[in-house]
């Protein structure tokens, strides 16, 4: 069965520190990859997504992620975090171009990011 | 920007009772989903719905669960006889008809507590 692993449960950083959140998935075929963010009290919002092409994907709010197919990874990065980045971050995978699939997402457990001002 | 909305935001119920969770997807979207997240665990897919019928469901979505789009705007999840282990945050999502690669937009969730 497909699964998505997020290595860190809780990450605590000071403002201006660099961020990298790990995500690995276990599916050998074509995949589409997503990072969602959930700010406190708010709904899940899409940060960025990868479907094909350039494996380095840029998203909103200065986030980027790199798809490394050989490592089955899609790590999220930001060079300098802000207090407002405090949130929970979810990696998700969808099998790509799957005939008949309606696109349900498989999520990782999430990583809580706390940024100290 | 259009949003997916869900009501209620919180629901407390007794074990064995029926609950209906409501969602209003984004108006021109055609694909609808329910996910749930048990506290401390990952977000799990429950069911997808298109053209007034279920298109996919997970093993979690057993006979106690049903979905409906009763009036062209609401999309509901019913749990017939709730169990303690149904306590979770339930998220509705929708996407447009642009293909399975289109972004899913999530609602804020309903926190269900079964006592």
């Amino acid at each position: 069965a497909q699964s998505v692993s997020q290595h860190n449960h809780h990450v605590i950083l000071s403002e201006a520190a660099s961020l990298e959140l790990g995500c690995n998935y276990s599916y050998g075929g074509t995949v589409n990859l997503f990072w969602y963010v959930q700010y406190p009290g708010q709904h899940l919002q899409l940060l960025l997504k990868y479907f094909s092409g350039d494996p380095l994907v840029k998203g909103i709010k200065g986030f980027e992620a790199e798809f490394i197919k050989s490592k089955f990874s899609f790590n999220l990065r930001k060079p300098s975090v802000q207090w407002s980045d405090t949130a929970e971050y979810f990696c998700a995978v969808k099998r790509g171009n799957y005939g008949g699939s309606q696109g349900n997402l498989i999520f990782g457990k999430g990583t809580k990011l706390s940024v100290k001002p | 920007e259009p949003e997916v909305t869900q009501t209620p935001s919180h629901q407390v119920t007794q074990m064995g009772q029926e609950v209906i969770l409501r969602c209003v997807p984004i108006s021109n979207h055609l694909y609808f989903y329910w996910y749930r997240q048990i506290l401390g665990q990952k977000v799990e897919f429950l069911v997808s719905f298109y053209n007034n019928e279920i298109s996919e469901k997970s093993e979690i979505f057993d006979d106690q669960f049903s979905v409906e789009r009763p009036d062209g705007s609401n999309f509901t999840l019913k749990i017939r006889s709730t169990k303690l282990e149904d306590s979770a945050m339930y998220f509705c999502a929708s996407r447009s008809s642009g293909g399975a690669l289109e972004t899913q937009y999530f609602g804020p969730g309903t926190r269900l507590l079964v006592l």
Side-chain angles (χ1 to χ4, degrees):
Chain A
Q2 297 168 78
S3 67
V4 178
S5 299
Q6 290 184 242
H7 315 301
N8 310 101
H9 177 63
H10 193 184
V11 172
I12 302 172
L13 294 174
S14 297
E15 274 196 316
S18 66
L19 170 73
E20 180 158 3
L21 301 183
C23 173
N24 287 89
Y25 61 93
S26 65
Y27 179 67
T30 302
V31 290
N32 308 123
L33 298 152
F34 305 80
W35 275 98
Y36 280 84
V37 61
Q38 187 173 29
Y39 297 102
Q42 296 188 30
H43 55 276
L44 286 163
Q45 299 172 43
L46 183 70
L47 264 185
L48 47 77
K49 60 187 177 185
Y50 170 80
F51 290 154
S52 63
D54 188 345
L56 185 63
V57 179
K58 294 199 185 298
I60 59 171
K61 306 188 182 192
F63 286 91
E64 64 178 32
E66 186 174 13
F67 170 50
I68 303 180
K69 190 173 180 180
S70 60
K71 295 186 178 179
F72 298 89
S73 71
F74 190 56
N75 292 355
L76 181 71
R77 299 194 293 246
K78 185 169 183 179
S80 175
V81 294
Q82 301 170 304
W83 176 77
S84 57
D85 293 324
T86 295
E88 189 155 16
Y89 293 80
F90 295 91
C91 182
V93 168
K94 189 192 84 60
R95 289 174 295 174
N97 301 323
Y98 179 76
S101 167
Q102 298 303 324
N104 50 289
L105 299 172
I106 299 163
F107 283 86
K109 274 192 166 185
T111 298
K112 279 192 173 62
L113 172 66
S114 298
V115 180
K116 297 184 293 186
Chain B
E1 186 178 322
E3 290 184 337
V4 176
T5 58
Q6 290 184 242
T7 53
S9 58
H10 294 79
Q11 176 135 16
V12 181
T13 190
Q14 296 289 326
M15 192 170 57
Q17 294 296 304
E18 174 183 285
V19 294
I20 297 175
L21 309 183
R22 290 184 168 77
C23 168
V24 179
I26 293 172
S27 64
N28 62 344
H29 285 187
L30 299 178
Y31 296 84
F32 314 111
Y33 305 81
W34 282 101
Y35 294 81
R36 78 170 185 192
Q37 185 181 26
I38 295 171
L39 191 64
Q41 299 185 26
K42 58 180 69 177
V43 177
E44 302 170 292
F45 166 74
L46 291 178
V47 65
S48 60
F49 191 85
Y50 170 71
N51 200 26
N52 282 321
E53 59 184 24
I54 290 173
S55 42
E56 279 185 284
K57 59 183 180 179
S58 71
E59 59 273 13
I60 302 168
F61 194 88
D62 61 21
D63 292 344
Q64 292 300 313
F65 291 88
S66 63
V67 288
E68 203 177 32
R69 189 156 159 79
D71 56 13
S73 64
N74 289 284
F75 177 51
T76 61
L77 174 70
K78 185 195 294 187
I79 309 175
R80 283 192 192 83
S81 176
T82 49
K83 304 188 282 284
L84 295 176
E85 54 266 36
D86 293 328
S87 295
M89 180 74 100
Y90 288 80
F91 294 104
C92 172
S94 71
R95 69 170 173 88
S96 69
S97 60
L101 307 184
E102 278 295 310
T103 300
Q104 292 181 29
Y105 292 86
F106 284 79
T110 294
R111 189 173 294 284
L112 175 65
L113 179 61
V114 182
L115 301 175

